[in-house]
Amino acid sequence: MKYKVNETCIGCGLCTGLCPSLFQMGDLGQAEAEERDVFDDELSDAQNALESCPVSAIESYE
Ligand code: SF4
């Protein structure tokens, strides 16, 4: 499972706090996800970030 952040991100920083190993803030003030499969021990935090994003900007894909 991989994650990505789409262009609707408002840069609130919530995902970077919930799963900092996967999500970081980019230079343009929007979050970015590492382009790799999530590790097993990250999955619950990554999914929590996806479900918690206030604008549903996080997507998961295989
Ligand atoms: Fe962007 Fe959503 Fe992450 Fe906030 S939680 S920084 S809006 S992707």
Side-chain angles (χ1 to χ4, degrees):
M1 184 75 75
K2 297 179 182 176
Y3 288 77
K4 65 180 179 182
V5 177
N6 69 34
E7 69 285 352
T8 63
C9 170
I10 58 172
C12 74
L14 186 63
C15 58
T16 64
L18 291 173
C19 191
S21 58
L22 188 65
F23 298 103
Q24 290 93 37
M25 294 306 294
D27 293 340
L28 300 177
Q30 291 184 314
E32 298 172 347
E34 299 263 325
E35 290 186 19
R36 58 167 172 78
D37 285 313
V38 294
F39 303 128
D40 289 345
D41 61 0
E42 284 177 321
L43 189 55
S44 65
D45 286 346
Q47 194 61 27
N48 187 25
L50 182 152
E51 293 170 5
S52 301
C53 175
V55 293
S56 301
I58 301 173
E59 303 167 24
S60 61
Y61 61 105
E62 295 291 340

